[in-house]
Amino acid sequence: MSGNEITLIDVIGDNSESVVDEVDLKMQVVRLYNKMKAVLKNREKIVLELRYGLLSGVGKTQREVASMLGISRSYVSRIEKKAIKKLNKELKVEN
């Protein structure tokens, strides 16, 4: 390799910290989605996607999610807590 190697950061420009942070965030999001697919049941995944706006960018209340899925708000709460607990457990095992 020559002494004139160009890195990706050199090409991107001076905002290297913000670019690195953005890339890191995107990698974490991909990792989270992969874990969600692997670990969660379909309903758990749907509840988290709706609650936190993972697909639309706009989160919904437990009451709104309950209405959309035809279940009670308290059931949405239980599903959400269980799904988050599963994800936390899996992500801790990975680290």
Side-chain angles (χ1 to χ4, degrees), residues 9 16 19 25 31 34-36 38 49 51 54 68 71 78 80 84 90:
I9 296 302
S16 61
V19 170
L25 177 61
R31 184 172 151 234
N34 288 338
K35 282 293 177 192
M36 286 176 68
E49 288 171 349
R51 280 286 289 137
L54 300 177
M68 292 173 76
I71 57 179
R78 287 193 302 271
E80 181 181 353
I84 290 171
E90 281 298 313

Side-chain angles (χ1 to χ4, degrees), residues 7-66:
T7 66
L8 180 59
I9 296 302
D10 293 331
V11 174
I12 292 172
D14 294 330
N15 296 331
S16 61
E17 262 188 58
S18 63
V19 170
V20 170
D21 290 344
E22 189 173 329
V23 169
D24 185 51
L25 177 61
K26 287 183 181 185
M27 288 172 60
Q28 288 180 29
V29 168
V30 168
R31 184 172 151 234
L32 177 61
Y33 274 110
N34 288 338
K35 282 293 177 192
M36 286 176 68
K37 287 181 199 174
V39 173
L40 301 181
K41 294 179 181 172
N42 193 46
R43 182 166 271 192
E44 293 168 333
K45 190 165 90 56
I46 290 169
V47 166
L48 290 186
E49 288 171 349
L50 292 172
R51 280 286 289 137
Y52 297 98
L54 300 177
L55 300 177
S56 69
V58 179
K60 302 203 176 304
T61 65
Q62 288 180 344
R63 197 169 306 284
E64 290 170 324
V65 173

